[in-house]
Amino acid sequence: MRFYQVDPTLESYWRGVILFGKNFATYKFALAHALYDVSHAHEVIRLEDLAVPFSRHLCAHLRDATKQTLNMSKPGPLLKACMQFNDGTISDDQLIQQTVKHGFGIVLDAFHNVGGGPIAKQFFINEQRANKSIRLTDDFYHLTQSVQFHNLTHETDARWRLVEKAWEMNLPPELLDVHYDPNQETLFTLAKSSRITLTSCRNSLNGYQKGHCFYCHAPISLEAGHVQLADVDHFLPLKIQSSLPGVNLNGVWNLVLACQPCNRGIEGKSDRVPVLDLLYRIHARNEYFINSRLPLHEAIINQTGKNESQRRTFLNASWNAAFSLRLQTWKPPVRETLIL
């Protein structure tokens, strides 16, 4: 997959798993969070020990998103056990037993598969059949030491919540339209005249930009109060809305994360229009959304076009509309090349 082939870092491979791998009834996300939790543990993790954070994350999400079980014809034994634990009808020990027995059969084998095959980097070795354990690899420990690691938890949770919301809403794809709330800094959609908050906008966008400013490639953070906390920016400024009737400039297709100097610094973008090279970049970013699916891909398709050719035409027309208002173009300072 181009996402990590053009930028073969450990962070890109991990994000490839989270953003583009199959969802395994959300077990993949629970496993990722469990691995974050045991990142300081010994190399060999017994399934019994891994089951503790794995089941805890599943139970927590099931309390808020029980309709995910409706995505399957029948909830499996592990999800049943999690619901029973949440209801107080089984004990913690019983939950762990059920997790060890039913929780890892598929997800450990399939975790590293993206696009029909295994990725080049493996973050653990599955030893459940021989030793009832997994073995964390050097690649996983190197990942935990990267400057991007603190962002991955937020990105994984945002992706998990988007998948859950897609199943919960059960909307026909053609009706799904995702918007940005600048006051709450969240993504939301409307269903039957009700407003449904999906998840944090920053956390949802960050993985697709690989943890860097969309414009200048400076590292950005998702941590509140951090000096590098990302801004959510409209790629094409809201000022051109009058030239684009019927176009949703608050749609995900037009939202990027930017460092504060690029967004609102003295030489920042402000109401100017990014140069053409950046238009090509946002097209590539939007195609990543579409390839990752559930549910942002449907919103981008609805807002920009059913196929790649239509989406390119839409972006070009929207970009050209800015010049009908005689807006200036803007280019970020040169730092590094952002590889999308």
Side-chain angles (χ1 to χ4, degrees):
M1 177 176 286
R2 175 180 165 80
F3 183 83
Y4 43 76
Q5 288 172 346
V6 298
D7 181 32
T9 62
L10 292 175
E11 297 97 320
S12 291
Y13 279 107
W14 181 269
R15 285 175 167 132
V17 169
I18 300 303
L19 299 175
F20 304 106
K22 290 186 178 180
N23 298 315
F24 319 122
T26 77
Y27 288 9
K28 175 184 70 177
F29 305 116
L31 178 58
H33 276 292
L35 292 173
Y36 298 144
D37 292 344
V38 301
S39 60
H40 299 294
H42 296 295
E43 177 184 359
V44 176
I45 311 293
R46 298 184 308 157
L47 294 188
E48 186 175 350
D49 296 327
L50 188 64
V52 176
F54 182 81
S55 60
R56 183 177 68 247
H57 288 292
L58 276 177
C59 287
H61 271 255
L62 276 171
R63 291 188 194 104
D64 298 327
T66 54
K67 287 188 179 180
Q68 70 166 302
T69 59
L70 299 179
N71 190 57
M72 301 167 286
S73 56
K74 277 191 210 178
L78 176 56
L79 290 183
K80 284 183 179 179
C82 289
M83 290 186 283
Q84 289 172 334
F85 177 78
N86 285 345
D87 292 339
T89 55
I90 66 171
S91 67
D92 188 72
D93 286 342
Q94 290 172 310
L95 174 63
I96 299 305
Q97 291 172 6
Q98 291 296 307
T99 303
V100 172
K101 183 177 181 180
H102 300 291
F104 301 114
I106 296 177
V107 69
L108 291 181
D109 283 334
F111 184 81
H112 294 103
N113 289 348
V114 180
I119 58 174
K121 301 294 183 180
Q122 302 286 292
F123 296 101
F124 61 83
I125 299 170
N126 181 8
E127 299 180 348
Q128 64 175 324
R129 294 175 183 83
N131 302 313
K132 294 186 177 180
S133 63
I134 64 169
R135 184 180 299 273
L136 301 178
T137 65
D138 288 344
D139 282 337
F140 179 74
Y141 286 114
H142 291 152
L143 178 72
T144 66
Q145 295 164 9
S146 72
V147 295
Q148 287 292 317
F149 187 69
H150 70 284
N151 284 333
L152 298 179
T153 301
H154 302 294
E155 295 171 23
T156 302
D157 199 58
R159 182 73 188 136
W160 193 351
R161 294 187 183 281
L162 282 171
V163 170
E164 290 172 338
K165 287 295 185 181
W167 290 343
E168 181 179 342
M169 290 184 298
N170 196 28
L171 286 175
E174 64 273 12
L175 297 183
L176 184 62
D177 196 15
V178 177
H179 307 260
Y180 172 56
D181 182 335
N183 295 319
Q184 300 295 321
E185 296 185 330
T186 57
L187 300 177
F188 71 93
T189 190
L190 300 173
K192 297 180 180 178
S193 300
S194 297
R195 176 169 167 157
I196 301 172
T197 298
L198 299 175
T199 189
S200 160
C201 185
R202 281 193 187 92
N203 297 352
S204 298
L205 296 175
N206 194 60
Y208 299 93
Q209 294 182 201
K210 301 174 182 176
H212 292 84
C213 171
F214 182 84
Y215 300 115
C216 74
H217 197 53
I220 53 178
S221 175
L222 301 177
E223 300 285 347
H226 195 285
V227 67
Q228 293 177 324
L229 179 66
D231 282 351
V232 179
D233 181 48
H234 292 83
F235 178 82
L236 294 177
L238 293 174
K239 189 173 183 177
I240 71 170
Q241 185 66 77
S242 61
S243 297
L244 293 169
V247 171
N248 179 11
L249 289 177
N250 268 318
V252 180
W253 69 271
N254 193 43
L255 301 176
V256 298
L257 297 185
C259 67
Q260 295 177 20
C262 277
N263 186 44
R264 47 192 162 104
I266 295 175
E267 298 181 353
K269 183 172 77 70
S270 188
D271 280 338
R272 291 181 287 179
V273 182
V275 295
L276 187 60
D277 285 349
L278 293 172
L279 188 71
Y280 299 149
R281 186 182 296 174
I282 200 169
H283 174 72
R285 194 288 310 267
N286 286 345
E287 293 304 301
Y288 286 146
F289 272 130
I290 290 169
N291 289 331
S292 69
R293 308 186 67 79
L294 284 173
L296 297 182
H297 77 294
E298 298 288 6
I300 291 179
I301 286 172
N302 292 339
Q303 293 165 357
T304 64
K306 293 183 178 180
N307 58 55
E308 185 176 4
S309 176
Q310 290 178 353
R311 293 189 288 272
R312 284 182 183 274
T313 300
F314 171 86
L315 285 175
N316 284 327
S318 300
W319 188 76
N320 287 328
F323 297 106
S324 68
L325 299 178
R326 299 183 179 179
L327 297 186
Q328 295 179 334
T329 57
W330 174 82
K331 187 175 183 178
V334 177
R335 295 188 185 177
E336 298 178 49
T337 301
L338 178 59
I339 303 175
L340 290 178

